[in-house]
Amino acid sequence: KALGPWLIAADRQRWACAWSNEASASGWMEFRPGGVLWSDRGVGLWRMCADSSGEQRATLHLPDGDGEVQHVIYAPAGCRPGAAIDLEEWGREACGPLAARRLEP
């Protein structure tokens, strides 16, 4: 239910996706309860948010080598609940691994 208007009727919230414009980069992602995201690229997380105009967006965090990639996706205007929806990428950001070290007093 957290997916709101993006909720599909099937028990599994699995979507086909294209990770890039290359045909060989097609894959899948599945929205799981509690913000868990399964994909052919590994396990990540998702969360829904709205922009300043109220448009629903989803932020996806997926592993990528030693870091992660954050994708922000949205449904273009005119999508109706229950109808076929093609989500589009609004933005992408690559993040490196977090490194920390203890500070000496």
Side-chain angles (χ1 to χ4, degrees):
K1 293 186 179 191
L3 288 171
W6 298 7
L7 186 70
I8 55 179
D11 289 337
R12 296 172 72 177
Q13 301 299 308
R14 183 170 283 200
W15 295 64
C17 59
W19 298 114
S20 73
N21 291 333
E22 299 173 24
S24 62
S26 63
W28 59 269
M29 62 183 173
E30 183 173 329
F31 296 93
R32 304 290 298 173
V36 176
L37 182 69
W38 291 353
S39 78
D40 60 322
R41 297 202 163 186
V43 177
L45 63 95
W46 65 272
R47 71 177 189 276
M48 295 298 290
C49 56
D51 66 11
S52 59
S53 69
E55 183 177 2
Q56 289 291 313
R57 298 184 189 268
T59 302
L60 314 176
H61 298 265
L62 289 164
D64 183 47
D66 289 336
E68 75 173 37
V69 175
Q70 173 183 301
H71 301 269
V72 178
I73 58 175
Y74 72 100
C79 292
R80 298 179 322 274
I85 299 174
D86 289 328
L87 301 176
E88 295 185 14
E89 186 174 54
W90 180 79
R92 178 185 314 179
E93 182 179 352
C95 305
L98 177 64
R101 66 183 173 94
R102 182 176 171 194
L103 295 175
E104 298 299 324

